[in-house]
Amino acid sequence: MFETRITPAALQVETAAGFPRALDGLAEHGLAPHRFLRAAWYAAAAPGGGRTLALRREDGSVLAAIPTMPFGPALLGARKVPGCYWPFRDVLAARDATALDFAHALAAPEARALGPVWRLGPEHDPAARLLVDGAHLAGWSVLTRRDGTIWTIDLDAQRARGWPSKSARRKLRRYETHAAELGTLAWRHVRGTEWSEDVLSDLAAIEAASWIGTRTDGSGAKFLHPHQRALWRTALADPVLADMLSATILLIDGRPVAFTFDMDDGPVRYGIGGGYDAVLRDYHVGKLVNHRALVDAIAAGRSVMDMGAGDSGYKTELGAVPSYDLVDHLFVRSGMMARLLAPVWARQGA
């Protein structure tokens, strides 16, 4: 149930429990080039529930929205914008939204729903620029820190050069021949209605056998733990997201041994995650599946492969280069509290 107030600019400032389906329209036609920022994208990352601060025009259409969920100790009342994947936590805005519109929202009494402190990021998006400017106009303090560099591959350039090169193809053939010593190689591509519990279980089994499952607590995995699979199960319940998300799986004698998990959004393919059986490291199954996903992206006409932050070496080998920086914002209502939090926030991002 929305609570509504009319601002001087004749915009309705509303708060709603959860993440209304109206967010889907903003994701599809909004300012950000991210169609995946749908209601299910936020809901999947906020299993305990959340709420949305929204602006509506006089005709009832949504102009902007700030979805949030609890963040940190409950006593602090802090919140954050949720998202299924680390670099993609963002607000929504229509193409004609302005910083002044966000200022109206953040100055309204309904903005108390955001709490005294709330976080947005990591992000790289024009809607966030408007939000930051609007927050300053509304009297909020905004603490901003750099939070990683995204690596990308220019697929148009690779396509024009005829990727992979002859030498790379020879190397891949050697890898395939070596891996074939273990059994028969097969590929499985999953998207849309092909997603199932069995697929999620297969991806979890690969992660369990990977370095992230054998050498870490698994917090960085995507499917290893039940709560991680539940997140993606919620997202995949949205048919639009299910069509955008895909898995490329390498099987040997029918057993899944390596995968990549990606998302297509317009000209961009985002590499969300991947893994391979660590026992098979010397058989290069991880390289085989990464190359297959890249070949498929080029064949599908994508222009950019966004591989996320950080480079452990394999991204450079595939042709990735540093492309753009992510930033992380902390919005603080009290100026005194902002001064206290500033050194802590900066230190955590170092």
Side-chain angles (χ1 to χ4, degrees):
M1 187 69 176
F2 281 112
E3 300 171 3
T4 303
R5 175 179 180 271
I6 304 298
T7 71
L11 295 175
Q12 294 180 329
V13 181
E14 307 175 341
T15 57
F19 309 102
R21 293 298 300 272
L23 300 182
D24 294 350
L26 272 184
E28 188 70 31
H29 304 291
L31 178 62
H34 298 150
R35 291 176 51 248
F36 54 83
L37 293 174
R38 298 169 59 84
W41 184 261
Y42 297 109
R51 59 176 174 249
T52 299
L53 182 73
L55 286 82
R56 288 188 186 272
R57 302 179 183 86
E58 287 184 281
D59 63 5
S61 60
V62 181
L63 181 63
I66 305 174
T68 61
M69 63 177 287
F71 173 45
L75 185 64
L76 297 180
R79 303 186 69 80
K80 67 177 180 179
V81 175
C84 291
Y85 176 46
W86 177 71
F88 299 129
R89 294 170 183 164
D90 209 351
V91 297
L92 291 162
R95 292 173 185 171
D96 59 339
T98 68
L100 188 58
D101 295 326
F102 276 113
H104 282 315
L106 294 176
E110 286 76 15
R112 288 192 297 267
L114 296 172
V117 178
W118 61 283
R119 176 186 179 185
L120 168 63
E123 61 78 22
H124 175 78
D125 187 81
R129 306 288 88 74
L130 294 180
L131 175 64
V132 170
D133 290 343
H136 286 305
L137 290 172
W140 289 72
S141 297
V142 185
L143 308 178
T144 299
R145 66 187 184 195
R146 182 180 170 275
D147 206 357
T149 299
I150 294 293
W151 290 65
T152 65
I153 302 173
D154 184 338
L155 299 184
D156 288 336
Q158 299 283 23
R159 186 183 296 107
R161 284 195 291 265
W163 193 93
S165 65
K166 290 182 180 179
S167 61
R169 284 197 293 271
R170 286 194 296 269
K171 184 183 294 186
L172 289 172
R173 281 195 295 270
R174 289 199 302 271
Y175 292 163
E176 289 175 349
T177 300
H178 193 200
E181 295 173 2
L182 301 170
T184 302
L185 305 186
W187 294 97
R188 183 178 183 189
H189 301 277
V190 178
R191 184 187 298 276
T193 58
E194 297 168 333
W195 285 105
S196 68
E197 285 298 317
D198 287 343
V199 172
L200 296 180
S201 295
D202 285 346
L203 301 183
I206 296 171
E207 285 192 325
S210 72
W211 72 270
I212 204 167
T214 58
R215 298 176 61 184
T216 77
D217 62 3
S219 59
K222 297 295 182 290
F223 304 99
L224 180 60
H225 298 303
H227 74 274
Q228 294 167 333
R229 294 194 294 280
L231 180 155
W232 292 110
R233 191 180 300 116
T234 299
L236 291 165
D238 180 340
V240 174
L241 291 178
D243 282 337
M244 298 174 76
L245 293 163
S246 67
T248 301
I249 307 171
L250 173 61
L251 303 96
I252 299 180
D253 282 347
R255 182 175 74 89
V257 298
F259 78 94
T260 66
F261 179 52
D262 306 300
M263 178 170 61
D264 291 335
D265 189 9
V268 182
R269 172 165 292 187
Y270 296 95
I272 294 179
Y276 62 89
D277 188 330
V279 173
L280 305 180
R281 177 184 179 89
D282 291 341
Y283 291 87
H284 305 290
V285 293
K287 291 183 178 180
L288 285 174
V289 76
N290 283 327
H291 279 82
R292 175 57 68 100
L294 194 53
V295 168
D296 290 345
I298 291 172
R302 308 298 169 200
S303 294
V304 177
M305 182 77 176
D306 187 311
M307 303 192 74
D311 175 38
S312 58
Y314 82 96
K315 295 178 184 179
T316 301
E317 184 178 335
L318 288 170
V321 296
S323 181
Y324 61 88
D325 289 338
L326 297 170
V327 291
D328 217 339
H329 310 286
L330 199 66
F331 294 78
V332 188
R333 187 183 299 275
S334 162
M336 181 178 294
M337 182 180 292
R339 288 190 290 274
L340 293 173
L341 290 174
V344 178
W345 183 249
R347 190 161 56 246
Q348 287 180 345

